Amino acid sequence: MFSPRAAPSTALLRSLRAGQQCQRLSRPAVGLALGQQSQLHTSGRQHEEKSFRGQLYESTMQRVEKERANQRRLAEERGKTNPGGPAAITFVILATAAGCYWLGSLRNEAPSTASTLPLDQTVPPKHNVDKSNLEAAWKDFVDILGKENVSTDEMEAEAHSGSSWSSYNTKPSERPFLVVFPSTTEEVSKIMKICYDRKIPVTAYSAGTSLEGHFAATRGGICIDFGRMDKILELHRDDMDVIVQPAVGWQDLNEELSDKGLFFPPDPGPGAMIGGMVGTGCSGTNAFRYGTMKEWVISLTVVLADGTILKTRQRPRKSSAGYDMTRMFIGSEGTLGLVTEAILKLTVKPQTSSVAISSFATIREAADCVARVVDNGVPIAAVEILDDQQMKCINLGGGTSRSWKEAPTLFFKFGGTAAGVKEQVGIVQKLASAAGSKSFEFARSEDEAAELWSARKEALWSVMAQKRDDGDHVWTTDVAVPISKLPDIIEQTKDDMATSGLMGTIVGHVGDGNFHSIILFNEKERNVAEGVVHRMVKRAVEMEGTVTGEHGVGLVKRDYLEHELGPETVNTMRRLKQAFDPLCLLNCDKIVRVQQPRAGEVKEW
């Protein structure tokens, strides 16, 4: 090391600056200069210390030589460990660029422009039902509805996922995490906006009387119970229409309308509410004369999957303005949007009504009587058929005030003026006699009419009362065929049930070719019951009928749609579902599948 020295003089600094010019010399020249200086120092002052400038030059050159040697050594080592050198680096860069381009092309793939969506082209829905996400949503719902209208009670969740009269066996995982109870359209919209942002699936619930697994929470998520939305909002007597919320029951509505001389005809099972009636496109016993639910809905207010609120029509009885959005939602089972208000048509209540019943020796004779009544153009309000097993169950159930003949029985309902009703009863009595009727009884008062008709309304509950134990289930299903095919399919279905060994009954809205089977079974007999129902549905399709006349599709009937309608129709329905609900949040898995089934899940045709 250098010894400490005093600060250099001005002359020395000039000398150093001049010395820096020496660095521009080539290496030999620099070496020669240094060598000459060394000789001078040696010859002149061999025992004296080297000058400061000489030491500085020598140190500089040593550092330069050392740095260059290090660079040569590193270059040699890189050559040994990476023989590809620049070529390998170039390959990595090009490969990375190609991969990024490929990934980018996938991400930016143009959406399909096809009009239909086959099942094998679907992408499974991606929902977020993590507990943390649902708990965070609970806080959002509480802010909107209040804590008292958001329930996480387990019994509440179970009650909102299935029922003892549903034909679908709800799985333990198919329950909502929580149930919310809105009271206005705006609250429903806010709920759906939260679910849309958080990707939470939703099922809707009003009365819970549906039968084909319509409100099973197959993806978890939340359930919207419309029970608080039970108000009749406006009644327009002169226009004969009414605006109601979805939890208004059809029976309650008719009680309210009765004093005003008005009447709402669709009459499905007891307890049914307008929201569910719209969702399934229901009908009931009055359908023969008055038609089904879709004939009695003028307009709907609907909340879509992203919270958008739309109104499908104004209030006139007819309109040709644009697409018929009202019927788009009727029968959609809550898969396209949530109905929060409905404008319903009303009609004048009949001045007089009556009921008659007639028993027959066989189902075919009873069906023949119905064909005769239809052929003669008798304007009856309804005609229902109950087989011998169903009449036996009604007697055993004890839900009515009288005993009944345990034979295939027709129930007729009449309406109109007093003279008109009397004439209709007389014509039907003669036609029944000609078809082989064993008895004919008609009501002479309103109380007698209610008593006679009570047997029809007790059908389902009377069969459920025959359960052998708590392990028994009830399977209620329906099909519809052209009226001329009705005797054949009812007879074949009755024979099939008898052969199966299961207890089952037949109930039908025979005036429009629609009938129901009610079957009791336990878990050991489930496969047998499924077989009976499967063959009944297959017969209906083969007879140019439908897999469901009024119950709807739900989960149980969805795989039959393709056999009835063809794959392209079902694929179009799937595309429609995707258009209205791209995230598949609303009542997922109902009506059409949105992803491939598991092996063995679909029954062979």
Side-chain angles (χ1 to χ4, degrees):
M1 294 184 63
F2 296 116
S3 300
R5 295 177 181 272
S9 65
T10 302
L12 180 58
L13 289 174
R14 281 198 302 267
S15 175
L16 285 173
R17 281 195 293 269
Q20 290 175 356
Q21 301 299 321
C22 295
Q23 295 179 15
R24 299 181 187 142
L25 299 175
S26 63
R27 176 181 292 175
V30 172
L32 179 60
L34 289 174
Q36 291 173 345
Q37 290 181 18
S38 177
Q39 291 176 7
L40 290 173
H41 283 289
T42 303
S43 61
R45 292 184 301 177
Q46 294 181 352
H47 302 290
E48 291 183 11
E49 185 181 0
K50 293 180 180 180
S51 70
F52 175 75
R53 186 173 62 181
Q55 294 180 59
L56 179 61
Y57 290 161
E58 185 176 0
S59 173
T60 299
M61 289 308 302
Q62 288 174 353
R63 290 193 187 98
V64 170
E65 285 296 330
K66 184 176 181 181
E67 181 64 27
R68 288 179 176 175
N70 285 336
Q71 290 176 355
R72 287 194 297 271
R73 180 177 54 80
L74 290 173
E76 290 174 358
E77 290 178 356
R78 281 197 297 268
K80 292 178 182 179
T81 59
N82 186 17
I89 295 173
T90 302
F91 174 77
V92 170
I93 293 172
L94 291 175
T96 302
C100 291
Y101 175 81
W102 180 73
L103 291 173
S105 66
L106 289 181
R107 189 177 300 273
N108 296 321
E109 184 178 358
S112 171
T113 57
S115 300
T116 62
L117 179 59
L119 185 58
D120 60 6
Q121 295 179 19
T122 58
V123 177
K126 296 181 180 179
H127 300 141
N128 186 350
V129 291
D130 291 343
K131 189 175 181 181
S132 59
N133 189 46
L134 293 167
E135 287 176 344
W138 174 88
K139 173 64 167 58
D140 296 335
F141 298 142
V142 168
D143 291 342
I144 296 167
L145 305 173
K147 193 173 182 179
E148 68 279 8
N149 293 312
V150 182
S151 174
T152 55
D153 181 76
E154 290 187 6
M155 293 183 64
E156 191 92 66
E158 182 177 359
H160 285 78
S161 60
S163 67
S164 59
W165 53 83
S166 174
S167 55
Y168 179 72
N169 189 26
T170 306
K171 300 177 180 63
S173 61
E174 296 176 336
R175 295 181 183 177
F177 175 78
L178 57 81
V179 183
V180 294
F181 300 85
S183 60
T184 66
T185 296
E186 289 69 27
E187 288 180 350
V188 176
S189 174
K190 291 177 182 178
I191 291 168
M192 285 311 308
K193 287 178 180 178
I194 291 168
C195 293
Y196 182 79
D197 290 341
R198 293 185 175 277
K199 294 182 173 56
I200 297 173
V202 176
T203 53
Y205 182 99
S206 52
T209 58
S210 55
L211 300 165
E212 305 284 1
H214 291 83
F215 55 92
T218 56
R219 307 280 174 150
I222 74 162
C223 174
I224 299 180
D225 186 321
F226 288 96
R228 293 174 65 213
M229 298 180 68
D230 59 353
K231 298 175 179 59
I232 299 174
L233 301 176
E234 296 179 30
L235 172 62
H236 306 112
R237 175 65 180 82
D238 294 340
D239 299 324
M240 288 198 296
D241 69 52
V242 64
I243 304 177
V244 299
Q245 290 184 312
V248 172
W250 68 270
Q251 293 161 300
D252 296 331
L253 177 59
N254 276 327
E255 284 184 16
E256 187 72 22
L257 297 172
S258 180
D259 293 341
K260 299 169 180 63
L262 297 176
F263 168 55
F264 179 66
D267 62 334
M273 296 177 179
I274 299 301
M277 292 166 68
V278 170
T280 58
C282 79
S283 52
T285 63
N286 289 330
F288 176 67
R289 178 169 179 177
Y290 294 101
T292 65
M293 188 68 180
K294 61 178 175 286
E295 278 81 47
W296 294 91
V297 179
I298 297 173
S299 176
L300 297 170
T301 300
V302 181
V303 175
L304 300 183
D306 63 356
T308 299
I309 301 171
L310 68 85
K311 189 172 182 178
T312 61
R313 282 273 190 255
Q314 297 270 42
R315 284 200 304 117
R317 288 291 182 108
K318 60 186 290 188
S319 172
S320 58
Y323 298 121
D324 191 346
M325 297 295 290
T326 304
R327 291 201 178 193
M328 186 78 70
F329 292 101
I330 298 173
S332 67
E333 301 181 12
T335 62
L336 304 182
L338 304 179
V339 174
T340 59
E341 289 181 16
I343 303 177
L344 308 175
K345 291 182 191 176
L346 304 174
T347 190
V348 177
K349 184 180 178 182
Q351 295 179 12
T352 304
S353 62
S354 187
V355 171
I357 63 172
S358 182
S359 62
F360 296 82
T362 66
I363 281 285
R364 182 165 288 277
E365 286 182 351
D368 179 56
C369 177
V370 174
R372 291 169 184 260
V373 171
V374 173
D375 287 345
N376 281 269
V378 184
I380 57 176
V383 54
E384 301 286 298
I385 191 169
L386 279 66
D387 74 350
D388 54 333
Q389 289 296 317
Q390 181 62 70
M391 299 305 294
K392 181 179 180 179
C393 286
I394 292 171
N395 282 335
L396 292 173
T400 63
S401 59
R402 55 166 289 176
S403 295
W404 309 85
K405 289 183 181 294
E406 295 178 3
T409 303
L410 291 177
F411 288 71
F412 297 95
K413 186 187 291 185
F414 308 92
T417 63
V421 169
K422 184 177 180 179
E423 180 183 15
Q424 293 168 28
V425 171
I427 295 172
V428 169
Q429 186 173 12
K430 290 178 182 178
L431 294 172
S433 178
S437 171
K438 301 301 181 183
S439 66
F440 189 90
E441 182 180 356
F442 64 90
R444 291 176 171 80
S445 67
E446 288 187 8
D447 289 341
E448 286 186 12
E451 181 184 49
L452 291 178
W453 200 253
S454 66
R456 171 61 187 90
K457 289 301 183 182
E458 285 294 316
L460 173 60
W461 316 116
S462 67
V463 175
M464 291 181 66
Q466 307 312 308
K467 287 184 176 182
R468 294 160 293 188
D469 52 49
D470 291 340
D472 271 358
H473 308 286
V474 63
W475 193 317
T476 305
T477 192
D478 82 313
V479 297
V481 295
I483 294 176
S484 63
K485 306 288 188 181
L486 192 63
D488 293 334
I489 192 170
I490 290 180
E491 281 190 339
Q492 292 171 26
T493 302
K494 276 186 65 65
D495 290 344
D496 198 2
M497 286 193 294
T499 302
S500 74
L502 300 176
M503 188 273 185
T505 69
I506 297 289
V507 181
H509 311 309
V510 286
D512 50 17
N514 181 208
F515 80 97
H516 309 254
S517 288
I518 308 174
I519 304 170
L520 281 184
F521 66 98
N522 58 33
E523 281 303 315
K524 292 181 180 179
E525 300 165 328
R526 179 175 287 278
N527 288 338
V528 178
E530 287 179 352
V532 171
V533 173
H534 177 76
R535 290 186 291 274
M536 171 181 160
V537 172
K538 188 174 181 180
R539 286 186 206 103
V541 172
E542 291 172 347
M543 293 180 180
E544 300 179 273
T546 179
V547 301
T548 175
E550 62 180 15
H551 288 179
V553 176
L555 292 167
V556 177
K557 297 285 183 72
R558 62 183 174 177
D559 293 320
Y560 292 127
L561 281 185
E562 191 166 310
H563 298 288
E564 176 186 339
L565 304 173
E568 296 310 326
T569 301
V570 176
N571 292 343
T572 304
M573 291 181 179
R574 193 175 289 112
R575 177 68 78 192
L576 188 67
K577 165 66 173 174
Q578 185 189 57
F580 276 94
D581 183 14
L583 299 180
C584 201
L585 301 179
L586 295 173
N587 214 10
C588 194
D589 302 306
K590 313 308 176 356
I591 300 185
V592 293
R593 287 186 180 273
V594 293
Q595 67 182 76
Q596 294 277 18
R598 295 185 295 272
E601 190 175 354
V602 179
K603 196 173 185 67
E604 291 185 10
W605 186 243

